[in-house]
Amino acid sequence: NLQHIVVSILAAIVLTTAILYFIEAYKEYASLKENAAEGLDGEISENQIEITLFAGSGIIYLGLLGWILVKNLKSIVPYSILIVISTILIITYAASRTIGVPIIGIEFYIGKYDILTKILQGIIIAISGYLIYRIRTNKKKMQQHETKKKYE
């Protein structure tokens, strides 16, 4: 079934995105240790916030991955949440590179993982939207079929 294949592809992309966020959290932790050793207190709080954001995002994506694998194509809720979370993370990233975000300010560095996660999140949004459409379409077809059987 094509939809099951699409769910599997989405699951792989969500897992990859979670792993990338954990890698970013680890890199920030390494920076935190360096900044602590050098006594750069202002940088330490920024590192802590970024570690929390990256690790939290990875954990959320893993939780949603589990939900998708359990529910598969029975509910649009995990796919809807994926769209919302991915959109928020893309907007937060864009804001951090343009207008700045509270505490951290404007970030000027754009890394390869930054770009890769944003591309993957865009794909997550697109695939999740497609799956929501298919789930709703299939439910309508089933309801029409059941109604038709009732009157036969």
Side-chain angles (χ1 to χ4, degrees), residues 2-98:
L2 176 63
Q3 292 171 15
H4 286 52
I5 293 170
V6 173
V7 170
S8 298
I9 291 168
L10 177 63
I13 293 169
V14 170
L15 178 61
T16 302
T17 305
I19 290 168
L20 290 172
Y21 271 113
F22 288 129
I23 291 170
E24 286 297 311
Y26 178 77
K27 287 169 42 181
E28 282 299 321
Y29 177 70
S31 293
L32 173 81
K33 291 191 328 186
E34 288 175 19
N35 290 332
E38 295 175 18
L40 301 172
D41 294 338
E43 295 294 319
I44 291 172
S45 63
E46 182 180 324
N47 292 134
Q48 291 171 333
I49 291 166
E50 290 181 358
I51 290 167
T52 303
L53 174 68
F54 295 144
S57 297
I59 290 167
I60 289 169
Y61 274 119
L62 286 180
L64 289 167
L65 172 63
W67 195 358
I68 288 168
L69 294 175
V70 169
K71 287 291 185 182
N72 205 352
L73 293 165
K74 295 179 184 111
S75 172
I76 66 167
V77 176
Y79 304 107
S80 301
I81 294 171
L82 270 173
I83 290 172
V84 170
I85 295 294
S86 296
T87 301
I88 289 170
L89 289 170
I90 290 170
I91 290 169
T92 302
Y93 179 80
S96 75
R97 298 310 187 265
T98 54

Side-chain angles (χ1 to χ4, degrees), residues 1 35-36 39 51 61-63 67 78 89-90 93 101 104 114 117 120 128 142 144:
N1 185 336
N35 290 332
I51 290 167
Y61 274 119
L62 286 180
W67 195 358
L89 289 170
I90 290 170
Y93 179 80
V101 291
I104 296 173
D114 298 345
T117 55
L120 291 175
S128 294
M142 287 177 64
Q144 289 171 349

